[in-house]
Amino acid sequence: MRNHRTRTVALVSLLTASVLTACEGSAVLRSSSDSLGRLALLSDAKPGAGLDFGPIDCGADSNAGKTVTVKNDGEGPMRWSASLDSIAYFAIEGASEGTLEAGQSATLTVKAGVMPTSVEAGSVEKADLVITTDDPSHPAVHVPLAATAQGGTLELIAPAVADFGQTPLGVASTPIPVSLRNTGNAPLKVAVTSPTDTQFAFGWTGGDAPAEIAPGATMTGLNATFTAATAYVANSAGVIETTGAVCGVSAKAIPVKGQGLGGIVGVSPGTIDLGKVDCNTQGEPQVLTIYNSGNLVFTWKAALKDAENYTLSQAAGAVTPGNFFQLIVTPKALGMTKDLADNAFGDLVTVTTDVAGDVPHEVPVKQTASGAILKWTTVIPLAFGALPIGIASGEKFLTLINDGNVAAAVEVSGSTQFVGTSGSVPGGGGAFVSSVKYTPDTLGAQKAKIEITTAAPICQPLPTGIAATGSGKGTAAAISLGGPPRNRGNGQGGCILMANSGGKVACFGNNEYGQLGAFNVGNGPFVVPELKDVVSIASGGDFNCAADKNGAVWCWGNNRKKNNTQTGKLGTTGIDQTEVPTLVNGVSNAIKVAIGHNMACALSSAGTVQCWGYNRNGRLGDGQSTGNNQPPTEVSGLSGITDIAPGAGGGCARRNDNTIWCWGRYGRGNLGTCCGPQAMQVQNMSDAIAVAAETGYGRNGPRCGLRQNGEVACWGPASHGQLGGGFAFRSDFQSPVTVSLSGTATAVAGYVNGGCALMSDKTIQCWGRNESGQVGDGTTFEHASPGVVTGINDATMIAAGGRGACAIVTGGSVKCWGDYGLSSSTTPQAIPSF
C-alpha cells in the first residue's frame, strides 16, 4: 500500500478573517484583503475535509472527477497555478495556471486513476492539490485528496498442499477438506476448476459452490480427491476463479500432490508395421517394448495368434519398476507368392500381465509381400527371316504384364543380335510393350530366347523366354581367295568384304590357325568380330590381312612357314599364330592390301608400296635378300603405283603410266624382264589397266596384266597351260603372251598355275592346271586355252587363289569352284549365307 503525506488544511489560519459560506453547493473562501486581486476558492470538498473520492474497486477507477474553482474577488488581476505534490495516482484535467481579471474564475477537475490490484483492501491513496497565487495574503492553499481501495482478498487457510501420499492405483483416496477466507473489505464469488491432471478433482459438499464469501468470512465444504492412475509423483493444482474486485495477494490455486502404488503396464508400439517386404527376402526383426512405469514388479506373457509368419524371442517374463523388456518379433522369410493383398502376412501379438484390472494388450503385426509378377501376353516364336549383316529388321512387339504391386524396370533382350526395348512395367496389371529388332552380326542361322531381366523383387518366377530366330545374310562388296603355302594343304580359304555392314569382313575355309578370326567356329563363313571400317581385304589361305579407312593394316592367322619358323608375315614377331587381328606397325595411309607367298604388301595413298614378312630372294623388293621377320619396308624404284599383286616369289605393281613393274625371285620369266636388285619394268606392257599374280604356294608362278583393249597377257612358266595361250609345255616366257580369250576382259585374277578373266558380258573364262576343277567348266583336265565357267553370266568381280576361284554375282551373292576351302567342285557353288 502506498502512503502519502497527510496535510490538514486550516483555512482559518491560512486565510485570516475569512468567511466560509455555502455557494451553489460548493464552499467559497473569500479574502478581506484590499489587494488588487483577491483569491476565492470554491470546491466539492466538504468544509475542512478536502476532496474524498471514497471507496474504489481494485483494478477500477472512480469514473468521475471532483472540481475546484479559483476566483478573483479583487479589483485587479491575479496570477495563479495548481499542482499535485504526488502524481502517482491523481491527475489534474484542464488548465492548471493563468491570470484572472477581477471577477473572473477558473475551474479545475481532479480525477483518480485505476486503483492498483496490488494494494491491500482498505488502504488509502493520498495527495495534496496546491493552489498558489500572487495574492500576498494567500500565497498557497493546500487541498487534501483521498481514495480508499475496495475488494476481496482470498487466503488459503488449510491445507497448504493437499497431499494424498501413496494410494493404490485405481482406488479413490479419502477427500481432503479445503478452507478459504476473505480477508478483504468486499464480498467475492468463488469457483474452483479441477487440475488438468485428471487424477485430481475438486467437489463441494452438498452440491454447488457457495455464491460468495463475505468480508472476513471463511468458506468450507470444498473437498479435494485423488484417484491414482500412475505410479509417478503427481503435482498439480486446482485453479481458483473469482468474480468481483480482488485486492492484494489473493490465493489463485490450491496445490495437490499424490502418488499411485502398483505396476503400470505399457506396450509400445501399438502397431508393428513392416510395410512392404520384398518376396524372397526376410523383413527386419522388430522390437516390442513392455515397460513398467509403476513402482511394483509385474509378470507378463506373450503369444502370437497363428505363428505362421513370425517367432517371438520369449514367451514370458517379469518387469521391475522403472524398467522394460524388449520382446523381439522376428518375421520368417518370404518366398514366392501370388498373395500380395495388404497385410496378407500379418499376425497379432497379445501381451497379458498379472496387474489387477490390466486388459490384454493386442499389437497387430502387419506385413505385405512386395514384388513384381510378370508374364508375357505373346507366346509365339518371333521369326525374323534372313537379313543382311548389319541391317536391322522391322519391329516385332511383345507385351509384358505386371500383376505385382511394384513397378519393375525391365531389360528385354535375347543376344547382341536380338534386342528389345527396355522400360518400366507398372504394378497392378500395368503393361509394357517392347519392340524387338533383329540385327544380324554374323552369317547363317541364329536363334535366341527373348528374356527379361529386372532388378525389381519378383514374387513369381520370371516367364520363360520366347524363341526368336533369324538368319544373317551377307552381301559381298569384294572378295579375296588364298591358297595354302607350298606343300601345306590346310590353308585354302578366303575373305569377303561385306557391303552396307560398316566395313565388316567374313572369312571362310580352313581355320587351323585362327584365320577366320576365332577358333571353334567351323569353316564359316564367319564374321571377324574385331574388324570394322575395312576398305581392302587379302587372303593368303593360312593368314589374312585387311586395311581400314584410317589407313591401318591388320593381319591374323598363321605367322610361320612350312618348317615352323616365324616369317613375320603378320607384321609382328613373338607370336606363332593369332585369331585376333593384329596391327602392322610401320604402315600408314594404306588404301589396298595384298598377300603373296609368306609375305604381304600395302599400297599407300601416296602411290608407294611397303612389304613385310619373308624376304628370301628379295621378294620384299627392298634390294635385300635377308630371311624372316622383316618389318614393313618400301619397295625400291616404285612411285605412282595404283595397283599391286604380290605372288609367288615376289610381286608386281601397276604404275599410273600404265606400265607394270615386278620384283623378287628371278626364274622362269616371272619378272617379265631380266633380273635386278629392285622392281623392274615388264617388257611390252605399257598399256596395262590391271595386274594379277599367282596366289598360293608356287615359287615362280605366272603374272598377268589386263590391257586397255580388254586383252589379257601373261608371262612366266607354261608347263600346265597357265599362260592361256593355247599351249602347254615346259618353257618359260619372259615376254607377255596374249591369253586366247573369246571376247573382251574387264578384270583378271591368278591362282596356282592358272588364271581367270571377267568378261565384259559378265561371264568368266579360266585356264591352266585344273586338278581341282578350278577352271569351273565341270572338268579336271588342263586347259591351255580358256574355258567358260559353267552357269555364271552375271559376275561383277572375280578372285582366285590356290586351287580355286570365286565370283561375286548380281545381288552380292558369292559362287566358288575348284578347291576353295569349304568344298571342292568343278562347277560354281554358292557360299552359304551369301
Side-chain angles (χ1 to χ4, degrees), residues 108 177 204 511:
L108 305 175
W204 300 92
N511 194 31

Side-chain angles (χ1 to χ4, degrees), residues 632-643:
T633 182
E634 188 170 315
V635 178
S636 302
L638 292 183
S639 62
I641 301 304
T642 61
D643 196 8

Side-chain angles (χ1 to χ4, degrees), residues 77 84 130 140 156 166 185 196 230 243 292 455 479 546 596 651 694 701 731 812:
L84 294 169
V130 181
L156 179 60
Q166 288 185 330
N185 58 2
T196 55
T230 175
T243 303
N292 184 353
I479 186 171
E694 173 187 306
S731 181

Side-chain angles (χ1 to χ4, degrees), residues 306-364:
D306 55 41
E308 288 186 5
N309 302 308
Y310 303 89
T311 59
L312 299 179
S313 60
Q314 194 166 319
V319 185
T320 57
N323 289 319
F324 60 86
F325 179 83
Q326 290 187 322
L327 180 66
I328 308 301
V329 182
T330 302
K332 297 178 182 179
L334 291 177
M336 291 288 190
T337 180
K338 292 183 179 179
D339 191 354
L340 305 184
D342 288 345
N343 200 30
F345 293 88
D347 206 330
L348 182 70
V349 178
T350 301
V351 178
T352 57
T353 72
D354 62 355
V355 175
D358 183 39
V359 298
H361 302 264
E362 293 185 341
V363 179

Side-chain angles (χ1 to χ4, degrees), residues 51 53 168 202 214 232 243 252 309 338 433 457 467 501 576 590 744 746:
L51 299 178
F53 287 81
F202 286 88
Y232 297 107
T243 303
K252 296 181 180 180
N309 302 308
K338 292 183 179 179
V433 178
S501 66
D576 289 337
T744 302
T746 59

Side-chain angles (χ1 to χ4, degrees), residues 277-312:
V277 177
D278 293 346
C279 293
N280 293 311
T281 64
Q282 183 175 2
E284 293 294 328
Q286 303 294 307
V287 175
L288 183 65
T289 302
I290 305 169
Y291 55 88
N292 184 353
S293 59
N295 46 25
L296 291 177
V297 66
F298 67 76
T299 60
W300 59 270
K301 293 181 180 179
L304 289 161
K305 182 178 180 180
D306 55 41
E308 288 186 5
N309 302 308
Y310 303 89
T311 59
L312 299 179

